Amino acid sequence: IAGITQAPTSQILAAGRRMTLRCTQDMRHNAMYWYRQDLGLGLRLIHYSNTAGTTGKGEVPDGYSVSRANTDDFPLTLASAVPSQTSVYFCASSAWGNQPQHFGDGTRLSIL
Amino acid sequence: DQQVKQNSPSLSVQEGRISILNCDYTNSMFDYFLWYKKYPAEGPTFLISISSIKDKNEDGRFTVFLNKSAKHLSLHIVPSQPGDSAVYFCAASVPYGGATNKLIFGTGTLLAVQP
């Protein structure tokens, strides 16, 4: 079934550790996004990529980095995790920037 | 400051009746809106959208109404079914960073459809 795959589904991580959340899509979508969902705040954009080879900062980019080496993969890295990064992380993609975004099932990350 | 607001955190409706989920926005420049449905432990699923050139869009049991002067939209589900029980997010799609759009989400409304 075509869609977005995120890994891992959940993770508990010690503060200060490095972590990469993986995201792969098989819909050949140009644009990809990372959001975090926190209670009472909805989903907020962390980083995005319009097309392979380009990335941009969203609303809450601090402490996160992304790369887009090819169309299908868009990993999100926490270089040195902090407890405030405890959240549920969703990856999304869209054919073009103004098309509906399709979401993966999320990664639940707890930083202790 | 929330630019997209869903003021009802939860809504309970009897099976077969109409569910009405509301959403308000603050920026009159917003011109494209989407509704997403989310089950626990799953990602949001796109449901229906509306552009500001329309005031209504219908897809099966789901209808979205847009009132631009009031900066208000609503999602109607008729008839409601127990499988509709989920969190519903309203979002505005806005141009961001050149060629892309970002979604500005509301905080969601938990719909419970009682059998």
Side-chain angles (χ1 to χ4, degrees), chain B residues 8-86:
Chain B
S8 297
S10 64
L11 175 68
S12 182
V13 170
Q14 287 295 121
E15 180 179 4
R17 305 294 291 269
I18 184 171
S19 296
I20 300 176
L21 298 123
N22 293 303
C23 179
D24 297 293
Y25 59 97
T26 58
N27 191 332
S28 58
M29 297 298 290
F30 290 171
D31 62 3
Y32 183 52
F33 302 90
L34 305 91
W35 283 93
Y36 283 83
K37 173 180 178 179
K38 185 182 180 305
Y39 293 119
E42 295 185 11
T45 301
F46 169 67
L47 203 53
I48 192 169
S49 63
I50 188 165
S51 165
S52 62
I53 61 173
K54 293 183 164 184
D55 54 17
K56 175 183 172 182
N57 190 25
E58 192 171 353
D59 184 0
R61 295 186 297 114
F62 303 91
T63 303
V64 56
F65 295 91
L66 176 62
N67 182 333
K68 292 183 286 293
S69 60
K71 296 200 280 291
H72 176 84
L73 62 156
S74 60
L75 176 68
H76 293 212
I77 306 174
V78 183
S80 300
Q81 299 173 353
D84 295 329
S85 298

Side-chain angles (χ1 to χ4, degrees), chain B residues 83-98:
Chain B
D84 295 329
S85 298
V87 177
Y88 288 79
F89 289 97
C90 168
S93 179
V94 299
Y96 191 81

